[in-house]
Amino acid sequence: MTVQMAVVPVAGRGTRLLPLAKSQPKEMLPVGRKPVVQYVVEELARCGVSRLLFVTGPGKTAIENHFDIDAELIAHLRETGKEELLEELAFERADIEYFYTRQRRQLGLGHAVLCAKAVVGREPFVVALGDSMIGLHAQSRVVRVMIDQFEETGADAVVALEEVPLEDVVRYGIAVPRDGAAEVFELADLIEKPAMGEVPSTLAVAARYVFSPRIFDCLARTAPGKNGEIQLTDAIRMLIQQGRKVLGVRLSAEQRRFDIGNFQSYFEAFVDFALADPQCGRALREHLREWLAATEEAPPCS
Ligand code: UTP
C-alpha cells in the first residue's frame, strides 16, 4: 500500500512575522490568490495523499475553517447568481480526509511531528511544512518522487534538498552526501547550520520529508536543543547513526522552495506568485516596470 498520510505542522508562533502573524496564522497569509496552506494541501493531493493531519496550536482555527465545506457561502453564491465563483471553492471538495491534533506547547518542529504519533500509528507518512510551498503555484510533484523512492529503496527517510548560495548554508540543515550528490543520493549525515569553514555541501533540507514510523522512536529519544526545541534534523541524524537508509532528493530549478517564514521570503513569494497570475500578472509586471523606472532616480525609501 502506498504512502497516503501527510502530517502538516502549523502550530509555530511565527515570531519572525510579527506583527503580521500575531492574531492570524502565518500559514493563512495570502500568496497571490490563495493562503499558503491551501497550496500545500493541493500539492499533497496531486501527489496522492488522501489523509491529512494538521498539527495545530493556539490561534490557528482559521486553518480548520478554511478547509470546511461552507454550505452557507455556497448557497449565497447560488442565490445571488455568482455561480462562476463556486469554482474558487472547489478545493473544499478535494478527495482528502482531514484530521487535527494539537501541539500544546511549541517545542519545535520535531516535537510537532511527535505530536502526530498517536494518529499516524505504524504507517509511513509525509511531512510537509505548512509555511512552505514547492514550485511556482505549488505545481511540484517532488513529494510523489520522494514517496516512490521511499517505497522502492526501503529507506527510513527521504528528505527534499534545495541548492542554496554558499553564504546561506549557515541558516539551514545541510546534507552530507555518502558518495557524491546525484539527483537522488544517500546521506552520510545532516549538519544543522554548519560553520563557514566546514561546509559539506550547499544542499539544504527543504520542507518536505517521507518517514517510516521509526522516526517517532528517534524523536522520543531526541534531547531538546537550542531554545528547548526538539529538532527534526537531530532525529534524522539518529536514524543515520543507527545505520538506517536516509535519502536526499534534489529539487530542480522549477521546484524552487517558497518559504514565507520571514518578511524577505514572504514578499518575494508574493511577488513571484502574483507576477505569474494568469489574469493579473501581465499588468502587474507593467506596473512594476513603470514604478521601478520612475523611482530609480528618487527611491521612495531613502
Ligand atoms: P518555523 O521553523 O518557521 O518556526 O516553522 P515558527 O515557530 O513557526 O516561526 P518563528 O521562528 O517563530 O518565526 C516551520 C513550520 O513548522 C511549524 C510552523 O507552524 C511552520 O509551519 N512548527 C514550528 C510547529 O508546528 N511547531 C513548532 O513548535 C514549531
Side-chain angles (χ1 to χ4, degrees), residues 9-17 26-27 55 60 103 105-109 112 129-131 261:
V10 291
R13 294 196 181 277
T15 52
R16 287 170 296 156
L17 289 177
K26 66 171 168 177
E27 296 81 4
V55 181
K60 301 282 182 165
Q103 183 186 24
R105 286 193 300 159
Q106 277 52 63
L107 296 178
L109 176 60
L129 303 196
D131 67 350

Side-chain angles (χ1 to χ4, degrees), residues 12-34:
R13 294 196 181 277
T15 52
R16 287 170 296 156
L17 289 177
L18 285 173
L20 185 57
K22 177 173 178 274
S23 58
Q24 63 180 329
K26 66 171 168 177
E27 296 81 4
M28 283 299 292
L29 292 177
V31 175
R33 287 172 188 254
K34 300 175 188 174

